Structure formats: structure tokens, C-alpha cells
Amino acid sequence: MDKLTAMATFVKVVETRSFTLAAKILELPKARVSQRIADLERVLEVRLINRTTRTLSLTEEGKSYYERCLHILHELGDIEGTLRLKKTNPKGKVRVEILAAIGQHVIVPNLHEFKDKFPDISLRIGCSNRISNLYEEDIDCAIRGGTLVDSSLVAKNVCNVHFGLYASPGYLKASPPINTPDDLAAHRKINWFFSESHRPLIWQLNLADENIEVPGPYDLLFDESELAISACVAGAGICPGAPFVVASRVASGELCPVLPQWCFPPRQINIIYPSNKYLPIRVRSFLDWAFDVLKTNDTLNLMPRDLTR
């Protein structure tokens, strides 16, 4: 038995929840797929999948083994993809969805470097905060915030962003002083929705071991963070923002940090892509390039207090 092949088959059965669909995708007879799973269970001496005439469900051992298989196959795919990349000149189209702020402030300003390195790859880039379905919309990869909930996708964490609070100098001058989070109750608050939850960002402020949740209501609520920050610059109130997004506005004097020693819980930024064992070279090229750009961008790791220096 080829164990890696059997593991890949097991993963495909779990993802499709069907021996029939897995066989169709793998272009194998259904009996071959069933035999691979049976051989795997025989070698491991555990049952991985409970089978009935209508449904499949993983045993506890199956759930644990599935997670291990994903990790091993992803690592193997990364190694093989990197080796193949060195031997080829990637060509073709890559469709990417990027979190709007990351696209505007990090990825787009560096795209000329990608095109210099990979002139034969054509990129189609969407910059928004909506959550797209990679499979249904034929998207090759995405750069998103938050945690991954879809086990059929891979998430490579590149950084954690710490939001802080900001306001315009004019607003602060005309408003009561702010020395503690409790003082925020007397101020106008601007907020926005997170796309994946369709709920407003929770104002949870952390300082060392102290955690304080600042309740609403919010005087202005947007579905785009950039619009919320624009309202903040205009003097409409206090607004959360990522340090890498507002850094230039703080430097120019348009915004001032509010309670800069306090920050929101870290928010993950991930590169998301389908859990195929073999990614097309053109997609691998963009993934590796984007990962390096994000990982080496120091502004993404700024804390709110850093903008006061």
C-alpha cells in the first residue's frame, strides 16, 4: 500500500463526504477508493470512518488522523511546489481576493516587483472585505483577516494585527479628556462590521492582564473600515484602526492615538488557498511571493503605542 496515496484518498473522502464523489474527483473506480480506506484502517488497526447506506462520519480516531494527514500533505505540497518552482517559468492567470486594507497598503504598492519576477503571470485582483467562496467563485487564493473555519482550505498565518483607537485633533480638543477606557462612555464612537461575522467589531481593550470591554451604542456604523476612518479624520468621533493603516495619517497630524497603551486582541492575517496537494505553479508563485512581502513588512507588526514615538 502506498500510504501517502491512501492518506490523500482518505482526505478527499472526508472533504467530499462521499466515496462516490471522491472517486469521481480522483478519477478512480469507487471500489478502488473503498479499498484504499480499508487498507489504511487495516494497517492502522483502527476504524476511521463510520459508514451507513446514506451517510459517512468520522470516528474520534478518524478526526485526529484527518488533521494529521492534512498537515503532512500540506507540508509535502509546499516542499514539492518550491522545488518545481525553481525549474519552471510560471505562466497563466491567477485570481486573488485581498483584504482591502492589506491590498491598498501592502500588496498593491509591491506588485511591480512580482511582475518583474513573473512577467508571464496575469493577476486578477479583487480588494474587498467580503468573504468569497474560493471554490464557487474560482478564486485561487485569498488574503483575509480572522480565523479559518473551512477545513477544506489551508491558512498560512503571516502576522497578527493589533487595532487601536484614534480621533482627529479637532475632535479631541472640543471633547472631554480621555485618560482611561471608562472615559470613552462620554464620547462619540465610530465602528464597522467584520465581513465574516456580520457583526460590529467588539471594543475590547487590553493592557497587560487587564481587559475592558467598551459597550456601544455606536454613533456611526459602517460596513467598510476605510469609510469609518475617513469619518474619524473628519472629526466625527473615535474609531478603531490598524496601526499600519493609520500610521501616515498620524504622522501628518490628521489623527491622534487615543489611549495608545491599550490595544484590541490580536487579529490574524492569513493567506488562504484550497487544500489541493499540488497547486499550479502560477498560484504557488504568487503565494510564496505574497507570504514574503507580508512577513517582511514591519508596519503590519506596529502596536498603537508605536505611533506615539
Side-chain angles (χ1 to χ4, degrees):
M1 179 186 68
D2 183 337
K3 187 168 289 187
L4 281 175
T5 299
M7 290 167 63
T9 303
F10 170 67
V11 166
K12 191 58 63 180
V13 170
V14 174
E15 290 176 348
T16 60
R17 300 180 182 180
S18 167
F19 281 86
T20 302
L21 288 177
K24 183 177 180 180
I25 292 171
L26 296 171
E27 298 181 346
L28 293 171
K30 180 182 175 182
R32 177 74 61 82
V33 171
S34 297
Q35 187 60 52
R36 286 181 180 176
I37 303 303
D39 289 344
L40 202 53
E41 292 177 325
R42 176 176 52 79
V43 170
L44 296 173
E45 298 183 348
V46 296
R47 178 174 288 277
L48 300 173
I49 299 175
N50 291 317
R51 309 160 177 82
T52 69
T53 55
R54 293 186 178 182
T55 63
L56 300 177
S57 63
L58 288 177
T59 63
E60 287 302 315
E61 293 81 5
K63 293 176 183 178
S64 176
Y65 191 65
Y66 171 69
E67 296 298 329
R68 297 293 183 88
C69 286
L70 280 181
H71 177 75
I72 291 170
L73 294 174
H74 294 162
E75 288 295 320
L76 180 61
D78 285 344
I79 294 170
E80 293 175 343
T82 300
L83 292 176
R84 292 198 306 274
L85 185 57
K86 293 179 179 179
K87 300 179 181 179
T88 61
N89 179 29
K91 300 179 181 180
K93 298 179 180 179
V94 177
R95 185 176 176 189
V96 185
E97 286 287 326
I98 305 176
L99 192 67
I102 294 290
Q104 178 181 347
H105 295 277
V106 184
I107 294 296
V108 172
N110 290 287
L111 280 178
H112 63 284
E113 296 177 358
F114 179 83
K115 289 302 297 179
D116 288 343
K117 189 174 183 179
F118 302 106
D120 295 325
I121 294 180
S122 174
L123 291 176
R124 178 182 173 184
I125 299 176
C127 288
S128 72
N129 294 324
R130 75 184 186 93
I131 300 299
S132 306
N133 186 300
L134 269 62
Y135 293 107
E136 292 180 1
E137 301 184 41
D138 198 26
I139 297 170
D140 294 301
C141 62
I143 299 174
R144 292 180 182 162
T147 56
L148 179 67
V149 295
D150 188 343
S151 63
S152 68
L153 301 173
V154 181
K156 292 185 69 172
N157 179 250
V158 290
C159 66
N160 295 317
V161 174
H162 294 78
F163 291 99
L165 293 175
Y166 303 90
S168 70
Y171 174 82
L172 293 175
K173 185 177 180 179
S175 304
I178 306 172
N179 298 309
T180 72
D182 291 337
D183 295 332
L184 294 170
H187 286 263
R188 296 201 301 265
K189 292 181 277 293
I190 306 170
N191 205 8
W192 72 82
F193 289 98
F194 273 139
S195 299
E196 69 271 17
S197 65
H198 303 290
R199 295 178 180 177
L201 170 66
I202 296 174
W203 286 30
Q204 182 180 339
L205 298 176
N206 299 334
L207 176 61
D209 295 329
E210 192 172 0
N211 300 296
I212 296 178
E213 184 170 324
V214 180
Y218 307 111
D219 297 271
L220 292 172
L221 186 58
F222 295 89
D223 60 5
E224 292 286 347
S225 60
E226 285 291 332
L227 292 176
I229 291 172
S230 294
C232 184
V233 170
I238 297 172
C239 181
F244 76 91
V245 172
V246 302
S248 62
R249 286 172 165 152
V250 172
S252 68
E254 293 179 279
L255 289 177
C256 298
V258 174
L259 301 173
Q261 298 304 314
W262 295 78
C263 65
F264 287 61
R267 179 166 173 77
Q268 292 184 16
I269 301 297
N270 301 310
I271 297 181
I272 311 290
Y273 55 95
S275 60
N276 298 336
K277 183 178 176 183
Y278 300 110
L279 284 171
I281 297 299
R282 65 184 187 279
V283 178
R284 172 68 59 184
S285 301
F286 180 81
L287 286 173
D288 291 346
W289 174 83
F291 184 83
D292 288 341
V293 168
L294 294 168
K295 202 70 176 176
T296 58
N297 189 296
D298 293 335
T299 66
L300 293 175
N301 297 309
L302 287 172
M303 301 289 288
R305 61 177 178 267
D306 295 329
L307 301 187
T308 62
R309 297 171 184 171

